[in-house]
Structures are given as C-alpha cells and as structure tokens.
Amino acid sequence: MLDGSEVRFSHPLLAETAYAQADPARRRRLHLALAEMADSIEVRAAHLHAGTTFPDEQVAAVLEAAALDASARGAPEAAADFFTAAGDLTPDSDPDGRRRRLFAGAHQCVLAGQSDRAEQVLRGLAELAEPGPERGRVLLLIGLLERGTGSWTQALRSMRRALDEIGDDPTRRAELEQVIAVAEMQAGDLRTAEPHVRSAEAWSSRGIDEQIAADVEVAAIMHEVASGDRPREDRTARLVVLGRAAIQTPRMDEASSMRVVEAAASLKWLDELDHARELLDQLVETLWNRQADGLLMPPLFQLCELECWSGRLDRARDLARLAEQTCERTGVPAMRAMSLVLNATLSARIGDLAAARVAAEACRAEASESGDVRNLMRALAVHGFVELSSGDGAAGVASLELSRQLQEERGYGNPAVIRSAADHIEARLAAGHVDDAERLTATLFEQADRSHNPWATMTAHRCRGLLAARCADLPEARELLETALALDRKTDPVETGRTLLALATVQRRSNQRATARATGQRALTSFTAGNAAAWVDRARTELQRLDGTSATLGELTPMETQVAHLIADGRTNGEIATTLYVSPKTVEAHLTHIYRKLGLRSRTELAGRVTAQRTPAVPGETPDARPRSATYGETNSTPPRRDP
C-alpha cells in the first residue's frame, strides 16, 4: 500500500534526518510536513497516507481526489491504491462512503488486470453490505470478475443473486439485465440471453441513465445480429454512432469499453469490416495508453479475427502476439481460450496446420472445462477448417457437425458469427455425404436470406455450386459459382480463392481448359495474397492437372517424402508408422496429402512416381525436422507503453 516510498528518499528533509533509522512517530510527522509542501495531489496523498494512523475523513477525501487524478491520467493501478487507502481511512460513521471508495478501488483493480485483488476487496464489501441494491452492485461486479477468471457458471450465479437484490430502480435494473444478457451471449447462449435483453429494453424504456441506455441498445442489436434476425435499415449507422460515442467517454471503464467491442463485433458479423476496424483500432489505442490491461483482450480478439478474415495476416500475427502477452501479464484464465483460438485461426490461415491443430485442441479443452461454449464452437470450427485446408475434409466432419449442433441449440442464426457453415458443407461433400450437404446448403440459404449477410449469401451460392458439380450438373455449377464471384465483396482473399478454385475445377471438367487455367491462376494469386500456404498448394495442384504435368517429389514435405519412399519400398502403413514413430492414422493422413499433391490415386502409382524421380533421402532427416512456419510470432510490434 501507499507509504511514500516512491518519494520519501528524493526529498532532502527525509535524507538529512536518516529516515530509515527514525522511529515510527517521527516518520509520520515528516510525511505530514512533506504533504504540506507537495506540489501534486498524488504526492500529497501518498505522504498523508504514510503519516496517518487512524481514520480521518479529510485525509480520505484527499486520497480519493488523488485516485481520480490517477484514473484520469491512465494509471489504474495507482488509482486502485489511492481508492483502497481512502476506503480504509474513511471513518466508521460513513459506511456508505467507505463502501463507495472500496468499490471504486476494486473497479480500478479490474482495469489494471488485478482480478485477484479486486475479488478480495469485493468479497469483503459483500460481507459488510446490507441486503439490497448496494450489495446487488457488489455481487454484480463479483460476477464480472468470475466471468473474467473463466468460471461462467459461478459468474452467472452471482449475477442472478444480484438481480434478486438490486431493487426496482430502472437504471440499476436495466444495467444488470443488460450485463447478464451480454454474459450469456459471451458464454455462447443466445437463447438464455434473450429474456434478459427484452427485460433490459423494458426497463430502459422508463427513462434511465444515458450511458446505460446506450449499453442496452448495443446489446439488443448484437443479440439481433447474432440470432440472424432480419436487419433494420439503420442498424449499421447506429452501431457506428454508439461505438464512437463510447470511445469518446472521458473515463473509459469496462461498460464503455464493452459497448465498443459489442458494436464492432456486430459490425463484423454484418460484414461492415472497415467500420469495425475503425472502432477497434481506436479502442485498443485508448486502452493501451491508459494502461487498462484488464480490458484489452476482447478488442484485441475481435480485431485479430477481423484481420484474419481480411487476409491481413501480418497485422493479425502482431495482434495475436500482443494478445498472448496481455494474457500472460494479467494472468486471467478466461483470456487463455481467446488467445489459443487466435493462434489456431492464424496458424490455420498461414498453413501451419500442425500448430493449428495443437492450439485448437488446447482451446477446446480449456473452453470445455470452463463452460465457455462460444470459444468451444470456434475451436471446433478451426479444426474443421484445418482438415479441409489439408485436403482431407472428411476428417473435419465430426468437429464441424458438433460446432453446428451447438450453434443451433444456442440460437445462432447468423452463419457469419462463427464462419463454419460453408466448411461443413464442403467437408460433407468430401466425405461423400451428399444428402447432408444438400440439407445444410438449404439451411445456409435460409439463414443468408433472413440475415441479409453478404458473406453468407456468397458462400451459400458457392456451396450449391459445389453440390451441383458433385451431382455432375456442370452448367448449373458454373452458373452458381459465377454468381458467387459476382456477390463476393473481395474482403477475404481466401474465400475468393476458394470460389475461383472450385470454378476452375468445374471449367476443367467441362473441357474449358484455357478458361480454367486463367481462373486457376486467379485463385493462386488470391491465395498467395492471403498468405494461405495450404490453399496455394491446392491451387498449384489444379494448375498442374490443367497443364498435364506431374508434380515432383520436391512438392512434398520432408515427412511426406519419407512416407513416399517407404511406400515405394513396399512397406505397409503399420511398418511405416513403426519406422517413423508415428501412428498409422498419421501415416494415412500423410498418404492422403501425397496423393492430392502428386495427383495420384494408388500406392502403385506412387511407387512408380518415386522410382522415376527417386533421390537419396536427406541424411539425418527426422519427422520433427520439418521447419515450422516462420510467419507466426516472429516479430513483436507492441507499441511502447506511454509513461504514466
């Protein structure tokens, strides 16, 4: 706590009197003398606190003023110290003032990323407070902290306890209903959030605090967008207005920060990526400058995911790195799942599929344990995309189906929130599940029509084109894929490339080889622009088919090369697994990738190709020798922290 240590030895009076050897009474008198000479409110408050033993309202008032000053200059940790000290020195005759100051101190701890300290203060307050609105507010903040530590069940339990005590004040009631609604949505359940959204809107209609009314409005729009309801005409413009207003709040707190995040997330799901980026960029900069580490992770997550969707992977990499550092600094468990899913998404995009699988599985385990259903759905979706990117879409069907089921059960009607619907359909086709793919495509069209989402509409046409191609209706497939290209807003080069690649394949099958070659080259250019290495390989394979050339063994990874040579030597999958210290399933996966890359269909064809192109294996090459991608996490573009 504050004892003047940051200033005491810098003053001649303290140095001359051998402060370290002085008795406690002498030290206190020196600090009180220095408080009179202090030229800033914070230095004065530090000396007063060091020189005061018993509760004193005047000293508590100075400490509170210093806390407000520290908060205004972006130093939440110092503000927390001053507010807590003010609460400790508030006389027993003013219990409301003491609770108010301690409550403010706990809030500043949240901003500083000191969740454990905040929770300790709040639990003490909950014991002191009488049942009623004041304790309801304390229970609410405890719930928010429990949400931050990843205990969603416990967090919602505390919030509902707060609902029983908060009373009938319209502002407080609307605030709490809105917070519970957002917490339910963050935990991944839109259905249980809906009654709280409606209740918050009803209380808000009675005339409440302007900022809380704005929080309620943004939460209601976010729920509407994620549910896939038909959009109102003015929704985008209203989200931008509300988000910008929240950023301009003089004292950024958790409520105003989350209002920006919710507005930006909703804009993302509406495919208004430029507007979302503008809000998130400003919010991250504001929070960084104010050292509000406890609030940084949600906007970093949204911004990193947005940049992945935009194909700006260099920037996404830097944001993921900053998110990982924020997670480490604050030590909040709930942030770990968010950081893991970012790492998985980014690794999958750049083609580091092994790293993506590891991160997705870790996120899945973390989210399952904490009840964080939304990040669980994301992790499952990333795993499905990884298998699809590898050319083995059938291997991703189970994960994508579970993600779909969870989304359906919890009311997600906008397929652009967790963008897995198109991957699921393509994976089903790869597995030969044509009837399931047809049913899922019809659902995607219905959701796209209801939500009016451009991305969903484009991918729905692509999926129907793939389905038509699978059913050998090539004219219909070409028309649908060309329509998908016309609908494509070109915001995501990977999505654009996937449509072009599908069209090139259909054109080749239709004997339009020159046109197919040009389309395939456009797909390759698009994947290259998006740094999507795995999809670049798939586009090259298609171009090789068009050119009538065979891929060489040089197209394979070192591990795949070893598998190919062992196949040519007549080894079985089990023998190869034993030789390379991997599982037979891993050998099968590598064999699938080899067939795709070389355009082959059997072990006999592979053995013949190896015999024709055989070169000595690299001495000492081992399965673990393959270099990992150098794209992710290579640089750290974290801006320098501004001095407080």
Side-chain angles (χ1 to χ4, degrees):
M1 195 51 65
L2 303 170
D3 62 0
S5 59
E6 69 276 22
V7 296
R8 67 190 183 199
F9 293 114
S10 64
H11 196 284
L13 181 58
L14 293 182
E16 290 171 4
T17 55
Y19 181 89
Q21 284 74 42
D23 63 79
R26 175 65 172 164
R27 291 183 186 182
R28 288 194 293 272
R29 288 195 295 273
L30 288 171
H31 280 298
L32 292 175
L34 288 171
E36 297 298 323
M37 296 184 282
D39 56 2
S40 79
I41 183 65
E42 292 186 47
V43 173
R44 184 186 176 206
H47 282 302
L48 283 174
H49 181 256
T52 304
T53 305
F54 301 105
D56 186 308
E57 177 56 34
Q58 290 184 335
V59 174
V62 173
L63 285 162
E64 183 174 14
L68 294 172
D69 184 77
S71 175
R73 69 179 174 84
E77 188 171 351
D81 286 345
F82 283 122
F83 270 127
T84 304
D88 291 340
L89 289 178
T90 301
D92 293 341
S93 58
D94 184 15
D96 292 340
R98 183 169 187 269
R99 285 194 295 269
R100 173 176 54 77
R101 288 161 175 163
L102 291 174
F103 190 87
H107 178 70
Q108 291 297 321
C109 288
V110 172
L111 296 181
Q114 298 177 336
S115 299
D116 291 343
R117 180 181 171 191
E119 186 171 355
Q120 182 180 6
V121 173
L122 288 169
R123 293 201 182 280
L125 277 174
E127 294 177 2
L128 291 173
E130 294 292 330
E134 188 65 31
R135 191 165 73 176
R137 292 190 65 204
V138 174
L139 289 170
L140 168 59
L141 196 48
I142 289 174
L144 291 173
L145 286 170
E146 290 169 334
R147 178 191 66 183
T149 59
S151 179
W152 291 96
T153 302
Q154 184 61 43
L156 288 165
R157 185 181 297 120
S158 295
M159 290 176 184
R160 293 190 181 102
R161 284 181 59 203
L163 197 60
D164 293 336
E165 299 200 23
I166 204 69
D168 291 333
D169 176 81
T171 293
R172 298 278 77 82
R173 193 80 180 190
E175 177 188 30
L176 182 52
E177 292 282 11
Q178 176 266 334
V179 168
I180 295 175
V182 171
E184 293 280 13
M185 286 188 273
Q186 289 175 330
D189 200 327
L190 298 176
R191 296 192 191 283
T192 56
E194 184 171 6
H196 295 288
V197 170
R198 303 297 167 236
S199 180
E201 289 182 307
W203 286 102
S204 182
S205 67
R206 301 190 183 189
I208 62 171
D209 175 86
E210 181 179 344
Q211 297 300 316
I212 294 176
D215 292 339
V216 171
E217 184 177 0
V218 171
I221 295 176
M222 182 171 71
H223 185 274
E224 179 186 39
V225 172
S227 298
D229 294 336
R230 189 173 295 278
R232 299 191 299 267
E233 293 291 332
D234 62 342
R235 186 160 55 174
T236 296
R238 186 59 181 159
L239 286 168
V240 172
V241 168
L242 291 167
R244 287 174 177 169
I247 289 173
Q248 294 167 4
T249 303
R251 289 178 181 166
M252 178 68 67
D253 58 10
E254 184 173 20
S256 53
S257 175
M258 287 307 300
R259 194 188 319 152
V260 181
V261 172
E262 292 159 22
S266 302
L267 288 165
K268 270 177 53 184
W269 302 336
L270 291 167
D271 258 16
E272 298 290 345
L273 302 188
D274 289 339
H275 287 309
R277 182 183 291 110
E278 173 201 336
L279 294 178
L280 292 168
D281 274 337
Q282 292 182 35
L283 178 58
V284 168
E285 182 179 3
T286 298
L287 294 175
W288 183 265
N289 288 337
R290 297 185 183 186
Q291 301 187 34
D293 291 352
L295 303 182
L296 261 177
M297 194 63 179
L300 283 174
F301 176 91
Q302 294 294 340
L303 188 54
C304 183
E305 186 178 62
L306 183 154
E307 298 299 16
C308 282
W309 291 356
S310 302
R312 298 169 60 172
L313 298 190
D314 285 343
R315 183 153 196 250
R317 177 201 62 207
D318 292 336
L319 290 165
R321 182 74 170 179
L322 182 56
E324 192 172 10
Q325 291 172 347
T326 299
C327 182
E328 292 172 358
R329 268 199 314 273
T330 58
V332 177
M335 294 184 183
R336 177 167 166 75
M338 299 172 75
S339 180
L340 286 168
V341 82
L342 287 181
N343 290 341
T345 301
L346 184 57
S347 297
R349 283 273 176 161
I350 65 176
D352 191 352
L353 304 185
R357 287 188 182 95
V358 171
E361 181 55 37
C363 179
R364 178 174 179 170
E366 189 91 21
S368 297
E369 183 177 351
S370 66
D372 184 356
V373 178
R374 188 158 64 173
N375 280 318
L376 174 59
M377 294 186 291
R378 288 168 173 154
L380 292 165
V382 172
H383 178 258
F385 176 76
V386 167
E387 299 305 339
L388 196 62
S389 300
S390 75
D392 188 14
V397 167
S399 294
L400 290 163
E401 173 60 21
L402 181 53
S403 182
R404 183 202 65 79
Q405 290 176 2
L406 291 170
Q407 291 176 56
E408 181 179 341
E409 290 169 3
R410 285 156 176 78
Y412 284 79
N414 183 349
V417 178
I418 297 172
R419 301 191 170 194
S420 59
D423 294 343
H424 190 192
I425 293 166
E426 192 168 339
R428 287 284 185 182
L429 286 172
H433 305 160
V434 178
D435 290 344
D436 289 335
E438 188 170 6
R439 173 178 53 81
L440 293 168
T441 301
T443 299
L444 180 55
F445 261 100
E446 291 171 5
Q447 292 177 330
D449 180 64
R450 189 170 62 250
S451 64
H452 285 192
N453 182 275
W455 175 87
T457 303
M458 182 273 290
T459 54
H461 280 83
R462 184 178 74 216
C463 289
R464 186 157 285 174
L466 291 169
L467 189 61
R470 179 60 183 256
C471 297
D473 189 347
L474 298 183
E476 176 72 6
R478 285 198 308 273
E479 182 178 346
L480 286 162
L481 291 169
E482 287 166 355
T483 300
L485 279 178
L487 292 168
D488 192 350
R489 299 172 69 179
K490 308 299 188 293
T491 54
D492 187 343
V494 176
E495 292 291 1
T496 302
R498 288 172 66 176
T499 305
L500 287 165
L501 182 59
L503 180 58
T505 302
V506 170
Q507 289 168 338
R508 172 175 57 80
R509 291 175 59 192
S510 303
N511 293 319
Q512 299 175 323
R513 300 187 73 83
T515 304
R517 189 174 293 106
T519 304
Q521 189 59 53
R522 289 170 61 196
L524 178 60
T525 300
S526 191
F527 289 137
T528 302
N531 294 313
W535 291 90
V536 165
D537 287 344
R538 296 185 65 177
R540 284 176 177 162
T541 300
E542 178 62 27
L543 287 170
Q544 288 164 353
R545 291 194 184 101
L546 286 162
D547 292 337
T549 61
S550 298
T552 67
L553 298 183
E555 298 287 334
L556 306 180
T557 67
M559 179 62 138
E560 291 166 352
T561 300
Q562 289 187 84
V563 171
H565 279 278
L566 290 168
I567 289 288
D569 290 340
R571 304 285 188 89
T572 66
N573 286 4
E575 291 170 339
I576 294 171
T578 301
T579 300
L580 299 180
Y581 301 102
V582 297
S583 70
K585 187 174 181 180
T586 299
V587 175
E588 292 173 9
H590 283 305
L591 196 53
T592 299
H593 301 163
I594 292 167
Y595 287 162
R596 174 178 58 78
K597 289 183 178 181
L598 301 183
L600 304 175
R601 296 185 178 181
S602 70
R603 299 169 79 92
T604 302
E605 290 181 0
L606 175 57
R609 180 70 60 81
V610 172
T611 300
Q613 302 181 18
R614 182 174 287 241
T615 58
V618 178
E621 191 75 68
T622 67
D624 293 330
R626 180 162 64 94
R628 296 285 294 275
S629 168
T631 304
Y632 174 70
E634 205 172 59
T635 62
N636 176 12
S637 61
T638 304
R641 182 74 85 173
R642 189 183 68 176
D643 291 336

